[in-house]
Amino acid sequence: MRREKNLIFFQIINFNKTIFRINTNMKSNYIVILLLFLAVIFVSGCAKSKLDISRCDKIENPNGKVDCYSSFAIAENNPSICDTLQSQVEKDVCYLGVSKVIQEDSVCDNIQDQNQKEVCYLRVAVGKKDTSLCDKIPSQGGKDLCYKSVKISK
Protein backbone atom coordinates (compact mmCIF):
# COMPACT_ATOMS: atom_id res chain seq x y z
CA MET A 1 0.00 0.00 0.00
CA ARG A 2 2.78 2.42 0.92
CA ARG A 3 4.60 1.57 -2.31
CA GLU A 4 1.48 2.33 -4.35
CA LYS A 5 1.13 5.73 -2.62
CA ASN A 6 4.77 6.54 -3.42
CA LEU A 7 4.26 5.51 -7.03
CA ILE A 8 1.16 7.69 -7.32
CA PHE A 9 3.03 10.56 -5.64
CA PHE A 10 5.90 10.32 -8.15
CA GLN A 11 3.45 10.12 -11.04
CA ILE A 12 1.77 13.32 -9.82
CA ILE A 13 5.16 15.07 -9.56
CA ASN A 14 6.12 13.94 -13.06
CA PHE A 15 2.75 15.06 -14.37
CA ASN A 16 3.25 18.51 -12.80
CA LYS A 17 6.75 18.76 -14.34
CA THR A 18 5.31 17.84 -17.74
CA ILE A 19 2.57 20.45 -17.41
CA PHE A 20 5.18 23.06 -16.44
CA ARG A 21 7.27 22.19 -19.51
CA ILE A 22 4.21 22.44 -21.75
CA ASN A 23 3.32 25.83 -20.28
CA THR A 24 6.91 27.05 -20.77
CA ASN A 25 6.91 25.87 -24.39
CA MET A 26 3.54 27.49 -24.98
CA LYS A 27 4.84 30.80 -23.64
CA SER A 28 7.78 30.72 -26.03
CA ASN A 29 5.43 29.73 -28.87
CA TYR A 30 3.21 32.71 -28.09
CA ILE A 31 6.24 35.00 -28.14
CA VAL A 32 7.34 33.62 -31.53
CA ILE A 33 3.81 34.01 -32.91
CA LEU A 34 3.64 37.59 -31.62
CA LEU A 35 6.99 38.46 -33.21
CA LEU A 36 5.92 36.93 -36.53
CA PHE A 37 2.66 38.88 -36.38
CA LEU A 38 4.53 42.15 -35.81
CA ALA A 39 6.93 41.34 -38.64
CA VAL A 40 4.03 40.70 -41.01
CA ILE A 41 2.44 44.01 -40.06
CA PHE A 42 5.71 45.85 -40.66
CA VAL A 43 6.45 44.18 -44.00
CA SER A 44 2.87 44.46 -45.25
CA GLY A 45 3.11 48.21 -45.28
CA CYS A 46 1.24 49.23 -42.16
CA ALA A 47 4.48 50.83 -41.02
CA LYS A 48 5.25 52.29 -44.47
CA SER A 49 3.47 55.49 -43.66
CA LYS A 50 6.34 56.39 -41.37
CA LEU A 51 8.84 56.24 -44.27
CA ASP A 52 10.00 59.69 -45.19
CA ILE A 53 12.34 60.03 -48.15
CA SER A 54 13.24 63.57 -47.15
CA ARG A 55 15.41 62.02 -44.44
CA CYS A 56 17.76 60.84 -47.20
CA ASP A 57 18.55 64.45 -48.14
CA LYS A 58 19.82 65.12 -44.63
CA ILE A 59 22.50 62.41 -44.90
CA GLU A 60 25.89 63.98 -45.64
CA ASN A 61 27.82 60.79 -46.38
CA PRO A 62 27.38 60.12 -50.14
CA ASN A 63 27.37 56.33 -49.67
CA GLY A 64 24.78 56.61 -46.93
CA LYS A 65 22.62 58.85 -49.09
CA VAL A 66 22.75 56.39 -52.01
CA ASP A 67 21.91 53.51 -49.64
CA CYS A 68 18.97 55.48 -48.28
CA TYR A 69 17.52 56.23 -51.72
CA SER A 70 18.13 52.63 -52.82
CA SER A 71 16.26 51.38 -49.77
CA PHE A 72 13.29 53.60 -50.56
CA ALA A 73 13.33 52.56 -54.22
CA ILE A 74 13.30 48.90 -53.15
CA ALA A 75 10.64 49.40 -50.49
CA GLU A 76 8.38 51.24 -52.92
CA ASN A 77 9.34 48.99 -55.85
CA ASN A 78 10.07 52.21 -57.73
CA PRO A 79 13.52 52.50 -59.36
CA SER A 80 12.77 56.05 -60.56
CA ILE A 81 13.47 57.20 -57.00
CA CYS A 82 17.15 56.80 -57.96
CA ASP A 83 16.68 59.71 -60.39
CA THR A 84 16.47 62.12 -57.45
CA LEU A 85 20.18 61.60 -56.73
CA GLN A 86 22.50 64.33 -58.01
CA SER A 87 25.37 62.61 -59.81
CA GLN A 88 25.16 59.91 -62.46
CA VAL A 89 27.58 57.77 -60.44
CA GLU A 90 25.19 57.84 -57.47
CA LYS A 91 22.24 57.04 -59.74
CA ASP A 92 24.12 54.10 -61.28
CA VAL A 93 24.95 52.65 -57.86
CA CYS A 94 21.33 53.08 -56.78
CA TYR A 95 19.98 51.36 -59.90
CA LEU A 96 22.46 48.53 -59.49
CA GLY A 97 21.30 47.96 -55.90
CA VAL A 98 17.64 48.10 -56.84
CA SER A 99 18.05 45.71 -59.77
CA LYS A 100 19.70 43.15 -57.52
CA VAL A 101 16.58 43.00 -55.37
CA ILE A 102 13.68 43.48 -57.78
CA GLN A 103 15.30 41.46 -60.58
CA GLU A 104 14.11 43.63 -63.46
CA ASP A 105 16.47 44.07 -66.41
CA SER A 106 14.73 47.32 -67.42
CA VAL A 107 16.38 48.92 -64.38
CA CYS A 108 19.79 48.12 -65.90
CA ASP A 109 18.90 50.23 -68.96
CA ASN A 110 19.12 53.35 -66.75
CA ILE A 111 22.75 52.71 -65.79
CA GLN A 112 25.26 54.80 -67.77
CA ASP A 113 28.52 53.17 -66.63
CA GLN A 114 29.13 50.20 -68.96
CA ASN A 115 30.86 48.04 -66.33
CA GLN A 116 28.05 48.50 -63.83
CA LYS A 117 25.47 47.93 -66.56
CA GLU A 118 27.11 44.59 -67.42
CA VAL A 119 27.15 43.61 -63.75
CA CYS A 120 23.49 44.56 -63.54
CA TYR A 121 22.46 42.40 -66.49
CA LEU A 122 24.58 39.53 -65.20
CA ARG A 123 22.95 39.66 -61.73
CA VAL A 124 19.44 39.79 -63.16
CA ALA A 125 20.19 37.01 -65.68
CA VAL A 126 21.54 34.78 -62.91
CA GLY A 127 18.65 35.67 -60.59
CA LYS A 128 16.08 34.86 -63.26
CA LYS A 129 18.15 32.00 -64.70
CA ASP A 130 17.59 33.59 -68.12
CA THR A 131 20.47 33.44 -70.61
CA SER A 132 18.63 35.71 -73.07
CA LEU A 133 19.50 38.65 -70.81
CA CYS A 134 23.19 37.89 -71.37
CA ASP A 135 22.72 39.12 -74.96
CA LYS A 136 22.26 42.66 -73.61
CA ILE A 137 25.87 42.66 -72.42
CA PRO A 138 28.01 44.34 -75.09
CA SER A 139 31.41 42.78 -74.34
CA GLN A 140 32.06 39.20 -75.42
CA GLY A 141 33.89 38.47 -72.15
CA GLY A 142 30.91 39.73 -70.17
CA LYS A 143 28.50 37.64 -72.23
CA ASP A 144 30.62 34.51 -71.75
CA LEU A 145 30.78 35.08 -68.01
CA CYS A 146 27.03 35.64 -67.93
CA TYR A 147 26.24 32.43 -69.85
CA LYS A 148 28.51 30.42 -67.55
CA SER A 149 27.08 32.00 -64.41
CA VAL A 150 23.48 31.35 -65.44
CA LYS A 151 24.34 27.77 -66.37
CA ILE A 152 25.93 27.20 -62.95
CA SER A 153 22.92 28.74 -61.18
CA LYS A 154 20.45 26.34 -62.80
Side-chain angles (χ1 to χ4, degrees):
M1 177 82 164
R2 182 171 166 93
R3 187 170 188 206
E4 290 175 357
K5 284 182 182 179
N6 285 340
L7 184 60
I8 291 172
F9 179 73
F10 283 114
Q11 286 176 339
I12 290 172
I13 289 175
N14 286 334
F15 177 75
N16 284 337
K17 285 181 183 178
T18 303
I19 294 297
F20 178 75
R21 270 186 261 148
I22 290 172
N23 286 339
T24 304
N25 288 337
M26 287 174 66
K27 286 178 188 176
S28 63
N29 288 343
Y30 286 127
I31 291 171
V32 170
I33 290 170
L34 177 64
L35 290 174
L36 286 173
F37 177 75
L38 292 174
V40 167
I41 288 174
F42 182 78
V43 171
S44 71
C46 293
K48 252 188 196 177
S49 61
K50 294 185 180 181
L51 295 177
D52 182 11
I53 199 164
S54 67
R55 292 180 184 181
C56 296
D57 293 327
K58 296 174 185 170
I59 299 172
E60 292 182 22
N61 179 325
N63 293 335
K65 186 177 281 195
V66 171
D67 289 345
C68 183
Y69 277 100
S70 296
S71 297
F72 273 98
I74 291 165
E76 297 294 324
N77 198 25
N78 183 1
S80 65
I81 289 174
C82 297
D83 289 332
T84 57
L85 289 163
Q86 297 299 316
S87 75
Q88 188 60 48
V89 172
E90 291 174 336
K91 292 175 185 179
D92 287 352
V93 170
C94 182
Y95 284 127
L96 187 61
V98 171
S99 69
K100 183 178 180 181
V101 175
I102 67 172
Q103 294 290 302
E104 288 294 328
D105 61 297
S106 61
V107 177
C108 303
D109 297 335
N110 297 313
I111 297 175
Q112 299 298 311
D113 180 81
Q114 282 307 118
N115 291 331
Q116 289 192 24
K117 187 178 272 195
E118 286 189 12
V119 169
C120 184
Y121 286 127
L122 181 128
R123 283 181 177 173
V124 175
V126 169
K128 289 185 166 186
K129 299 177 184 349
D130 182 1
T131 55
S132 69
L133 296 175
C134 298
D135 295 331
K136 292 188 171 192
I137 298 175
S139 73
Q140 189 58 49
K143 282 182 186 179
D144 293 342
L145 177 62
C146 184
Y147 289 127
K148 288 177 186 174
S149 299
V150 171
K151 185 178 179 180
I152 291 170
S153 72
K154 288 185 177 182

